[in-house]
Amino acid sequence: MTHPGRTCPHCGAAVSSPFCTSCGRSVETAPLFAPQGEQRTAPQPAVHPRGVPPRTVPQPVVPQAVVGQRPPGGTGARTLLLRAGIAFAALIATGIAGVFGYEWWRDRPAMQALDAADAAVVSVSRPLGEAVSLEDVSAAAAAAPAAAEKVSDVLADLSDDETTLAERVRPVLQTQQAFLESLAPFEGLGEESLTVWGTTLPSVQESLTELVVARRSLGSYDEGAAARVRDPGNALDHAVEVVGSSAAESLRLQLDELLVDLAKVRTTREAAVLGERADPLADAAAAAEAGQQGTDLDVLTSLGDALGAIAALDGMDPETLQRWGPARTVLTAATAELGVSSEDAAESMSAWVSQAQQKMDAWRAEHDRAESVRSSATSRLDTYAASVRRTLRQYDRARDATSDALETAELDDYTSSYDVEYAMEEGVLTRRDLLDDLESLSVPSALATTHGGLEAVLGSGVEAMRTGEQAVEDWNLCYLDCAETYRDTGGWRAFSTRSGEISGEFDRALKAWDTALNQALSQANAVPLPAMPKV
């Protein structure tokens, strides 16, 4: 209700509402008393226009006895009390109206903040609720950061407001800001970036839930204030449907293209490329499932299964042809649910895989045979070489033992020649056993010559040791015309000379044997293996 052209009966200011903006009092109740210094006058009778006397109304006939009972002056105590009661009621009404007017003025900033924040949310939610394509959803999300900044500014302006309503409003504004900020990643949303949709939508839904809870909490305090906050949930649900239907339409077309190319695959390289193309599409289908329900969810799930089956071919090589079997089972089941025929493409792919597998099986059998030959040859050589090296290590220890015994005899004049004779005898027996070990080995033909060289050196060592042993033994039994020591005998000098020669012969024989062994191993490893077929 407006009051154009009226003035406040209390302060005289111009007013256009039920309450005066200057004094805050109601304009509906006239002052009960005249201003101080002015005499209140009784209402004057109206003057009839044109000087015509007013029409008289017949007065009821009142008995004289009754008239005589009225108090003098025409008014009584009851009348005065009635007027005082009316004035008191008017005063109370004016006070109540003033209280409500003050509360309206005090809560006005919080209400304005709600309106401003709601307008910012609607600037995003309305185009989101009217979207018909992924591009429309992206465009709506692009406006979200600026809208969130507006809500942030509103929050800052309300930060100093300590009213109860402001305290209740601030959580609502904060959740509205968080909701708008959560939409920002959807800017640039398209068929190639649907993964962002799947990863971001849960946080958007969570912020929307927090907004609904904050709005409900505000409504428990002030339903009128809560009514100013519009729920963007319907707009988000619409965007979810748009994303699902747009993704399903696009992915179905791309699945048809992949099935056409699947029927043309003739190499593992072509299969791997096809799987590489399908892989991001399968991820997009899974991402688009976020928030979907009912038929849209079923369609996207089937599309994801079909595309995932083709994506399983990514990285396929001749050794992984068996991937196709399980992939075909999933593909045919998923496309049947979509009402898409994949039998021709699957049958063509299966025929090629079968032929490729036969080639690989034949190659693998031939390869295994060649590998067996190579492995057998190298294994025999390794076993033989290990036996020879073990014997030669023992030969080295025997030479060291003989050398140590002779050096001790040289330094100790009291060493008995019988001890030397015993050491020489032990050396002969040890070398003879080692020679027998060499001669007992199964020698590969490629090492027969060099192996014989090692045997000859050990045989020479046995003979030289026998010569030295015999010289010591003869000297021990000599009683007439004997050399001063066994070292001065001709037999011992022959042993010493031959020992030096044998050391050089052994080194040369061992080097020749190592060379021959390495050559034999190289030849064994050089056994040709069949090349893998190109499939």
Side-chain angles (χ1 to χ4, degrees), residues 291-302:
Q292 302 298 327
Q293 297 179 352
T295 303
D296 289 341
L297 177 60
D298 294 339
V299 170
L300 286 169
T301 299
S302 298

Side-chain angles (χ1 to χ4, degrees), residues 183-237:
L183 294 172
F186 292 153
E187 182 180 358
L189 183 67
E191 296 175 1
E192 299 80 13
S193 57
L194 281 173
T195 303
V196 175
W197 175 263
T199 56
T200 305
L201 184 61
S203 63
V204 175
Q205 293 172 325
E206 181 180 355
S207 63
L208 177 61
T209 301
E210 294 174 353
L211 171 57
V212 172
V213 171
R215 180 176 180 268
R216 187 180 299 119
S217 176
L218 176 62
S220 66
Y221 173 74
D222 190 330
E223 293 183 357
R228 296 171 180 261
V229 182
R230 281 171 281 188
D231 184 357
N234 291 335
L236 182 61
D237 291 342

Side-chain angles (χ1 to χ4, degrees), residues 98-109:
V99 169
F100 280 106
Y102 172 72
E103 291 182 353
W104 174 84
W105 171 80
R106 182 190 62 187
D107 292 340
R108 186 180 180 186

